[in-house]
Amino acid sequence: MSKVNLLKPNKENINLFLGLGVSFFILGILDFYLNNFYDKNITSFLPGFISYFTPLIFGMIGLHFVRIEFSGIKQLDKLNKNINTSNFNAALSFSIILLLIFSIPPLLNWFIFDANIAGDTKEACTGGGACWVYIKVWFNRFMYGMYPNAEQWRVNATFIIVFIFMGLGYFFPLRFKKYLTLYYVIFLPVISFLLIYYLISGGEFGLEWVETGAWGGLSLTFIVAFFSLIFCFPIGMMLALGRRSDLPVVKYSSLTFIEFWRGVPLITVLFMSAVMFPMFLPDGTYVDKLIRVIAAIVLFEAAYTAEVIRGGLQALPRGQYDAAKSLGMGYWRLHLLVILPQALKLVIPGIANTFLALVKDTPLIFVVGLLELAGMLGLAKTNPKWLGFSMEGYVFAGIIFWIICYSMSKYSYNLELKYKTDR
Amino acid sequence: MKLKKILPQVLTLLFIVLIFGFFTMNAQENMDTRGIEFGFGFLKQEASFDIQFSLIDYDGSKSYARAYLVGLLNTLLVSVIGIVLCTILGVIIGVARLSPNYLINRTASVYIEFFRNIPLLLQIFFWYFAALRALPMPEDAPLLLGTSFMTIKGLFTPAPVWNNFDVFLITLIISLIIIFFFNKYAKKKQEEAGIQYPKFLISIGIFILVPALTFIFGGVDLTWSFPELKQLAKTSYTYEGGVGIPPELIALTLALTLYTATFIAENVRAGIQGIGKGQKEAAASIGLTTVQVLKLVIMPQALRIIIPPTTNQYLNLTKNSSLAAAIAYPDLVLVFAGTAMMQTGRAIEIVAITMATYLTISLSISLFMNWYNKSIAIKEK
């Protein structure tokens, strides 16, 4: 056994250092645990300020002792390399471990162990944790707004049919592939519009008419986001082409339009659609609130879409334009047959990101009185029978939105990777 | 050939003129039937509504123009605080994201994925309606750091009370000018003779010492006024003295900062990763220290990648601060496009002013950041 230098842990005394390190580490965690969950301070004999930091100091000493290079133990080497390269790193790692110990048990208790899910009334919630009964009772309202319960199958049916039509594009036989863009840009929007008009709104074919004011919840979020996307795409495309045009009037009017909408917040645009827009129409014209909102969002998002598409147009090499021109193609043939098909393929990930931003923006429509998910939560938490459950509501909505947005962002990231390798 | 160039332009112009003409005509007609006259004279009228939180002197007897100013200042306040905080947090998280330490790296990426995928409005609602509502009432609030109280009615902290504040401010500006010239001189010396001064330390020294001298010679005096509990009614308490930061401002700043920081963190990460490994190795091989490598080689190049997308995030934050209206923080949208519009009914003028204000703010931020970006861009000779 060689000389022991406590400042420089070495391989010769590995058992001693490992023993010391692990015990200090455990001591640090124990100190922290007792302090936070049992109100016992085992280092209370030290002055207050130092006693506050003892868990961290113990942990750092522990990690210092186990920091042995080439110890021959695979797990230890891996640990040192990943979380324990220097004293500073050890302190950070240990703080994160303490933070996890501090936050995870109370969170788990609130979410699962102390939570209530059985029952139908507020009185069923007796534990100190979350009251999922509230979510259970209000679930239909959160999904469909004030849409009558008996008619909700219509909303579901519409969404399922639209999804089936969207998926159909994948199974197109090869010789119809050239109509794919046409299918997605014209046929699908028309189909979805008809479905929403006849099936969700109703009023014909013996279906009860449901006014747009009653639509709401998560389904409204999707309706607004989907429609805005469909319409802002062609407008954005025209604006992008206009911005790159050689004609000064076209160029500067597109530029002004884009910069104007990009410079103002969406909430003022929605205000505009609610209070200013009716002033601009002939007296007595009534445009449905939902349509006004969608029109406002379309104008707003078209400006962003235009910038995304412009990025795709700029990424194409000049040779594409020159080659098409040398074949004698005019402006429209050049763009429709050569430039746009390539540029649009490049910007699919960007469009997916725009759609993601759109979904995250839709809760804003509460300012004009349309209640999608976040708006419904605001309504539910003021219901006198269910006061005091705003936390559960927001956590629930947060989880739903997080799942949607996270999967969409992962999808667009994968698309990005896919199209990168293509070129 | 000429027709091909002129015709589309004429058609575009015609289209724009027709739309604008249609809208103005209808607006004119509508306003006539309702007996409203277009004009900005209403700005001078008495506003006669109260605003909860104001940076300048305001009450109901002041004009609408004054109310507009209050709203604008509140918007700017939350934007500036948000931009400063989210830059600091974003840089820390972005660097942490690149750390070789597994735990730190994972924590940073979990933070980013968590906060950027939840709508901002929902986050504001969460902080305001759920998290901050769980705070104690003023009478039960514990003392924080010996000075402040965090209560359901907001954060109450000590307020500085200055004597001869203007003298202090002037010396502060003078010290900044001295620092500017000193840095110029030091750079010149380094280029001419290769002499290096400890620039940073001397600058900090000037910045602290010169204003500090005014406490001794300039008659400047600083005391703190501490918040004290005061009983309003039998069960209603509040704090007097100090600064009261309303919960709306706290919730809004928290949500804006946490949300925007995720995007800035990703920009910072992309910027640092965008610098080739060769740069670091080359810098190390000519004998620069780690700090010098970071300061002289990596950061100047990374900043060029980081700044343009970060400008966009600053713009987004400023525009997103308008979500304040949802939790009744008296910003421009709530005060002006909300209350003032309800009272005057002048939809067109007020929405136009509000939009023009946001456009001006957006344009000034992007002009400033473009100027800054240009000043650090590669100067090709």
Side-chain angles (χ1 to χ4, degrees):
Chain A
M1 200 155 174
S2 63
K3 230 177 125 195
V4 176
N5 180 354
L6 282 181
L7 287 177
K8 280 210 176 87
N10 54 5
K11 204 179 156 187
E12 280 72 43
N13 300 313
I14 187 160
N15 286 333
L16 172 69
F17 280 118
L18 268 187
L20 269 176
V22 171
S23 15
F24 266 108
F25 190 85
I26 291 175
L27 187 64
I29 288 188
L30 196 72
D31 186 13
F32 181 78
Y33 200 79
L34 289 177
N35 245 329
N36 276 294
F37 296 112
Y38 295 98
D39 261 337
K40 276 203 185 90
N41 194 350
I42 50 171
T43 52
S44 54
F45 55 88
L46 291 168
F49 183 71
I50 298 177
S51 145
Y52 195 72
F53 283 102
T54 40
L56 190 61
I57 296 170
F58 284 147
M60 267 179 76
I61 297 174
L63 285 173
H64 174 78
F65 282 144
V66 297
R67 197 180 303 128
I68 305 165
E69 269 184 72
F70 308 116
S71 58
I73 306 168
K74 217 172 163 193
Q75 282 89 348
L76 185 64
D77 280 347
K78 211 170 162 188
L79 180 89
N80 282 337
K81 203 179 131 210
N82 281 328
I83 69 166
N84 193 14
T85 45
S86 64
N87 278 331
F88 178 66
N89 253 332
L92 287 178
S93 310
F94 197 72
S95 320
I96 289 175
I97 294 173
L98 290 187
L99 188 74
L100 289 180
I101 293 174
F102 177 70
S103 55
I104 285 185
L107 271 181
L108 276 184
N109 277 343
W110 189 81
F111 263 95
I112 300 165
F113 299 123
D114 292 343
N116 293 88
I117 191 148
D120 302 304
T121 54
K122 187 182 174 179
E123 281 65 42
C125 290
T126 47
C131 178
W132 300 124
V133 181
Y134 165 72
I135 303 294
K136 201 173 73 180
V137 171
W138 283 84
F139 187 78
N140 268 357
R141 293 278 153 270
F142 290 155
M143 291 296 125
Y144 305 101
M146 292 304 174
Y147 209 86
N149 277 347
E151 309 285 330
Q152 280 162 7
W153 63 270
R154 284 156 54 179
V155 180
N156 293 340
T158 310
F159 277 108
I160 292 170
I161 297 173
V162 169
F163 264 113
I164 290 174
F165 272 107
M166 268 168 87
L168 270 187
Y170 267 120
F171 304 106
F172 264 35
L174 204 57
R175 63 199 168 99
F176 291 130
K177 271 266 149 88
K178 57 183 166 184
Y179 299 116
L180 206 60
T181 321
L182 199 72
Y183 173 77
Y184 275 118
V185 176
I186 296 174
F187 183 70
L188 194 64
V190 171
I191 285 278
S192 341
F193 179 77
L194 290 179
L195 275 172
I196 289 183
Y197 188 78
Y198 285 110
L199 201 56
I200 297 190
S201 183
E204 279 173 58
F205 305 123
L207 290 173
E208 195 189 326
W209 181 65
V210 184
E211 57 153 354
T212 50
W215 303 12
L218 196 63
S219 55
L220 185 65
T221 307
F222 279 122
I223 292 174
V224 170
F226 185 66
F227 261 90
S228 311
L229 181 78
I230 287 173
F231 289 112
C232 76
F233 192 70
I235 299 179
M237 205 160 77
M238 296 309 291
L239 285 171
L241 288 179
R243 190 169 173 176
R244 280 170 60 80
S245 162
D246 300 328
L247 314 170
V249 173
V250 178
K251 182 175 174 179
Y252 288 106
S253 44
S254 311
L255 192 75
T256 320
F257 187 89
I258 293 174
E259 291 306 324
F260 174 76
W261 293 110
R262 272 161 50 93
V264 295
L266 180 59
I267 202 167
T268 57
V269 180
L270 290 172
F271 259 114
M272 193 180 88
S273 85
V275 297
M276 199 166 147
F277 192 60
M279 299 281 272
F280 284 143
L281 291 180
D283 208 14
T285 340
Y286 176 73
V287 183
D288 190 274
K289 205 157 48 172
L290 187 62
I291 294 178
R292 269 186 289 162
V293 163
I294 291 181
I297 297 182
V298 165
L299 289 177
F300 182 79
E301 291 292 335
Y304 286 85
T305 318
E307 288 296 277
V308 171
I309 296 178
R310 187 171 69 104
L313 291 174
Q314 274 175 347
L316 286 187
R318 225 194 128 65
Q320 296 288 334
Y321 289 88
D322 294 341
K325 269 184 200 156
S326 72
L327 287 176
M329 288 185 175
Y331 182 85
W332 288 110
R333 289 222 296 160
L334 161 83
H335 277 97
L336 285 180
L337 297 176
V338 181
I339 303 300
L340 280 176
Q342 298 184 67
L344 291 186
K345 195 177 139 196
L346 280 180
V347 299
I348 289 176
I351 298 288
N353 279 333
T354 315
F355 187 64
L356 185 63
L358 220 151
V359 170
K360 282 197 282 182
D361 275 344
T362 37
L364 276 186
I365 59 178
F366 85 96
V367 294
V368 294
L370 288 172
L371 298 175
E372 51 64 76
L373 184 49
M376 281 311 293
L377 285 173
L379 197 70
K381 80 175 167 30
T382 51
N383 186 307
K385 270 192 203 160
W386 290 95
L387 286 177
F389 295 110
S390 46
M391 185 70 101
E392 283 85 347
Y394 289 118
V395 168
F396 169 73
I399 293 172
I400 296 241
F401 269 110
W402 188 83
I403 292 172
I404 295 167
C405 296
Y406 182 73
S407 43
M408 260 165 37
S409 74
K410 278 282 155 259
Y411 180 66
S412 91
Y413 180 70
N414 287 340
L415 280 179
E416 218 165 304
L417 287 186
K418 189 175 151 199
Y419 289 110
K420 235 182 208 162
T421 50
D422 261 3
R423 276 178 70 82
Chain B
M1 196 61 209
K2 248 198 163 164
L3 186 77
K4 233 179 168 178
K5 291 221 148 155
I6 293 173
L7 192 67
Q9 307 203 43
V10 172
L11 283 179
T12 318
L13 259 183
L14 204 67
F15 180 67
I16 296 170
V17 168
L18 274 180
I19 286 200
F20 268 94
F22 178 69
F23 281 167
T24 6
M25 245 173 58
N26 284 327
Q28 196 69 50
E29 212 167 280
N30 282 332
M31 285 201 287
D32 279 348
T33 50
R34 286 174 214 185
I36 320 173
E37 216 162 286
F38 185 83
F40 294 97
F42 74 94
L43 283 174
K44 292 202 189 83
Q45 290 166 12
E46 191 180 293
S48 63
F49 62 87
D50 265 330
I51 299 176
Q52 291 296 325
F53 175 73
S54 157
L55 290 178
I56 51 173
D57 188 30
Y58 175 85
D59 59 63
S61 65
K62 295 276 171 28
S63 64
Y64 280 111
R66 186 82 174 175
Y68 164 80
L69 197 63
V70 172
L72 177 63
L73 284 178
N74 283 345
T75 292
L76 289 179
L77 174 75
V78 76
S79 311
V80 170
I81 299 176
I83 284 179
V84 171
L85 290 182
C86 81
T87 311
I88 298 172
L89 187 64
V91 170
I92 294 174
I93 302 284
V95 172
R97 186 81 178 69
L98 289 172
S99 160
N101 186 326
Y102 179 79
L103 280 174
I104 295 172
N105 174 335
R106 280 286 92 195
T107 314
S109 68
V110 165
Y111 166 82
I112 292 173
E113 290 299 352
F114 184 75
F115 280 99
R116 72 187 287 168
N117 283 320
I118 295 177
L120 179 59
L121 187 69
L122 214 57
Q123 295 192 30
I124 294 176
F125 279 159
F126 172 81
W127 290 114
Y128 185 62
F129 288 119
L132 293 185
R133 286 291 157 90
L135 287 171
M137 297 299 285
E139 61 270 28
D140 317 317
L143 202 60
L144 281 181
L145 303 171
T147 50
S148 312
F149 298 94
M150 187 79 203
T151 74
I152 196 166
K153 287 184 181 171
L155 175 69
F156 295 90
T157 58
V161 181
W162 291 91
N163 222 344
N164 290 338
F165 184 56
D166 38 355
V167 178
F168 181 77
L169 211 63
I170 291 168
T171 32
L172 204 67
I173 295 168
I174 292 174
S175 76
L176 283 179
I177 296 172
I178 297 174
I179 289 171
F180 177 75
F181 281 108
F182 165 72
N183 274 325
K184 245 184 160 176
Y185 171 77
K187 202 177 173 190
K188 202 174 128 202
K189 269 281 170 231
Q190 190 188 349
E191 276 170 8
E192 277 175 0
I195 306 168
Q196 282 189 347
Y197 294 105
K199 262 194 278 185
F200 185 71
L201 281 180
I202 293 181
S203 300
I204 290 277
I206 295 173
F207 189 73
I208 293 173
L209 274 183
V210 175
L213 284 178
T214 58
F215 280 89
I216 305 166
F217 303 112
V220 179
D221 186 27
L222 171 66
T223 49
W224 296 90
S225 98
F226 289 94
E228 272 163 29
L229 195 64
K230 190 193 162 200
Q231 192 163 19
L232 290 178
K234 202 170 181 194
T235 52
S236 161
Y237 292 82
T238 188
Y239 284 93
E240 245 189 17
V243 189
I245 302 168
E248 291 88 9
L249 180 61
I250 301 174
L252 192 64
T253 324
L254 253 178
L256 282 174
T257 308
L258 292 177
Y259 182 73
T260 317
T262 63
F263 294 93
I264 292 186
E266 286 294 88
N267 294 344
V268 170
R269 180 187 63 84
I272 295 178
Q273 273 183 340
I275 306 301
K277 218 177 172 181
Q279 295 281 335
K280 272 178 228 171
E281 285 163 1
S285 73
I286 57 169
L288 298 183
T289 63
T290 325
V291 176
Q292 279 176 326
V293 172
L294 205 66
K295 198 178 117 195
L296 300 172
V297 180
I298 305 295
M299 274 337 258
Q301 299 185 70
L303 272 182
R304 270 183 225 130
I305 309 177
I306 294 170
I307 283 180
T310 304
T311 310
N312 268 337
Q313 292 312 323
Y314 289 166
L315 290 178
N316 279 346
L317 189 142
T318 313
K319 283 185 279 171
N320 282 337
S321 73
S322 61
L323 295 184
I327 54 167
Y329 170 74
D331 80 323
L332 185 60
V333 171
L334 185 80
V335 168
F336 204 58
T339 319
M341 187 162 69
M342 290 300 154
Q343 288 195 2
T344 57
R346 291 180 176 271
I348 296 180
E349 292 94 328
I350 282 184
V351 172
I353 294 179
T354 314
M355 283 185 152
T357 311
Y358 275 105
L359 270 179
T360 320
I361 298 174
S362 297
L363 283 180
S364 5
I365 293 182
S366 62
L367 280 181
F368 173 76
M369 292 305 278
N370 277 347
W371 166 80
Y372 182 62
N373 196 26
K374 221 172 246 170
S375 75
I376 61 158
I378 306 172
K379 289 183 184 73
E380 305 220 359
K381 285 178 183 151

